[in-house]
Amino acid sequence: MTAKIIDGIAVAAEIRAECRAEVERIRLQHDIVPGLAVILVGSNPASQVYVRNKMRACENVGIRSFRFDYPASVDPESVIDKIEQLNEDPEVHGILVQLPLPPTFDLARILHTISADKDVDGFHLYNVGGLVVGGTVFPPCTPYGVLRLLQHEGIQLEGKNVVVVGASNIVGKPMALMLMQQEATVCICHAKTRDLAQFTILADVLVVAAGHPNLILPQMVRTGAVVIDVGINRLSNGKLVGDVDFVGVAQKASHITPVPGGVGPMTVSMLLVNTVAACERVRQQLLRHNSKSPQLETVAE
Ligand code: NAP
């Protein structure tokens, strides 16, 4: 079997075209432009590239973006103050703090300062809790992108054995919860999992987000499995690879995502989706509020 290569660039481009149309509709019908604020602390080169790509993607679909750069030595309280200001700013519908932050920062405090209504990265406790009990406003972008890729390929998840390798708060755990919501039977593996292959071989759908090149070899994959490689690793020769032995596993899988060109472009597209959704949500809340106000006045009279 030779796997179908899932083209994340093409699917991400389709989603961006939908976003562009929705941004235009909101602008024309309601005179509102969705806005995303991006905070970058320090000079991590990878983070700078990610932030630049996110801002470019915003521009490309008509989302207004606001960038705030701080040196790594900044007092975390200044960043907290900025987030609180942005929470109140009506032109800003989404707020993103680029990770990782310098060690002087209390990550949980930063993430929970962002209003849940503007948490377009989906890392606020409210949104994380919503993945467990339902009611998430903004699903975290990378797992959301994986789900959209699976849906785009018409891959049914109900009743399927899904194995997620990696249990981080930003990828593995939310991914597993989102797949459970799709009624898959989900198994989560992590660095302490003994004999990873005994789990991965059972997967109808295997999602890998561990950050180790060649972690998944062909003998660990069931023939016909769908393999989603979230990993991004830079080799010493400068080459970018995922966590899966792409060439070997592609001979056994039914579908596989490449790196680059698989999950990566989807992550940025889902950030745009969440930002447009945040804007539309505020607009609808205002509409409800305004339509209720006269009634309240009547009652008060
Ligand atoms: P992370 O915070 O370092 O978490 C890695 C997870 O993988 C941890 O749960 C860890 O287990 C587990 N793990 C590590 N080695 C393992 C092994 N040998 N076997 C099984 N599990 C193992 O990383 P992350 O932020 O989740 O990111 C994971 C990868 O995805 C990275 O390569 C990152 O660059 C990439 N990524 C890509 C995108 C994208 O848009 N494509 C977005 C985000 C991240 P423990 O919990 O036991 O330590």
Side-chain angles (χ1 to χ4, degrees):
M1 173 174 285
T2 306
K4 176 182 180 199
I5 297 171
I6 301 176
D7 186 349
I9 296 175
V11 183
E14 274 176 32
I15 293 171
R16 286 180 204 199
E18 288 165 18
C19 276
R20 196 175 301 115
E22 183 64 358
V23 168
E24 188 63 358
R25 183 192 67 77
I26 297 173
R27 191 181 65 77
L28 289 175
Q29 291 182 359
H30 308 291
D31 198 21
I32 305 172
V33 178
L36 174 71
V38 180
I39 295 177
L40 174 62
V41 184
S43 54
N44 178 325
S47 293
Q48 294 199 347
V49 172
Y50 292 143
V51 165
R52 208 166 42 237
N53 288 346
K54 287 169 187 174
M55 306 214 38
R56 256 193 221 138
C58 282
E59 194 184 331
N60 180 258
V61 301
I63 293 174
R64 191 181 289 153
S65 59
F66 309 90
R67 177 171 170 164
F68 302 93
D69 283 60
Y70 294 90
S73 58
V74 68
D75 179 355
E77 289 308 318
S78 315
V79 177
I80 295 272
D81 287 349
K82 174 51 76 182
I83 295 172
E84 283 171 347
Q85 259 175 40
L86 295 169
N87 282 342
E88 299 303 320
D89 186 337
E91 294 202 335
V92 171
H93 303 96
I95 303 171
L96 176 157
V97 177
Q98 183 64 43
L99 303 182
L101 286 168
T104 46
F105 278 73
D106 175 351
L107 175 61
R109 182 160 171 239
I110 292 285
L111 295 181
H112 304 154
T113 302
I114 299 172
S115 158
D117 289 327
K118 298 191 177 188
D119 173 41
V120 287
D121 249 347
F123 297 156
H124 188 281
L125 268 185
Y126 180 89
N127 281 316
V128 175
L131 290 177
V132 179
V133 295
T136 291
V137 184
F138 304 113
C141 300
T142 300
Y144 193 14
V146 170
L147 205 58
R148 283 290 288 263
L149 273 185
L150 292 169
Q151 285 164 348
H152 184 272
E153 296 302 314
I155 291 156
Q156 296 298 316
L157 291 163
E158 189 185 305
K160 293 284 172 66
N161 286 347
V162 179
V163 176
V164 179
V165 180
S168 71
N169 288 345
I170 63 168
V171 188
K173 281 185 207 159
M175 183 79 258
L177 290 163
M178 289 167 83
L179 291 162
M180 274 176 71
Q181 283 174 352
Q182 301 297 313
E183 301 186 318
T185 302
V186 181
C187 163
I188 312 178
C189 301
H190 46 77
K192 305 261 165 41
T193 298
R194 280 180 290 147
D195 190 4
L196 185 61
Q198 70 169 318
F199 297 99
T200 59
I201 197 76
L202 297 177
D204 300 312
V205 178
L206 178 61
V207 181
V208 192
H212 284 280
N214 279 327
L215 180 66
I216 304 298
L217 302 172
Q219 60 270 31
M220 299 166 76
V221 177
R222 181 175 176 166
T223 300
V226 174
V227 179
I228 306 291
D229 192 353
V230 182
I232 302 177
N233 308 288
R234 174 89 53 193
L235 300 182
S236 52
N237 63 7
K239 195 176 171 212
L240 214 55
V241 297
D243 292 350
V244 175
D245 165 11
F246 180 81
V247 174
V249 171
Q251 302 305 311
K252 278 187 94 178
S254 65
H255 297 71
I256 189 166
T257 56
V259 178
V263 176
M266 293 297 289
T267 298
V268 180
S269 286
M270 301 327 286
L271 173 68
L272 304 178
V273 168
N274 277 349
T275 304
V276 176
C279 176
E280 181 60 10
R281 201 164 162 267
V282 169
R283 193 189 68 72
Q284 299 214 358
Q285 276 168 353
L286 279 173
L287 201 67
R288 275 200 298 277
H289 177 79
N290 291 341
S291 68
K292 270 186 198 155
S293 296
Q295 280 176 3
L296 287 175
E297 277 166 23
T298 312
V299 172
E301 280 167 14

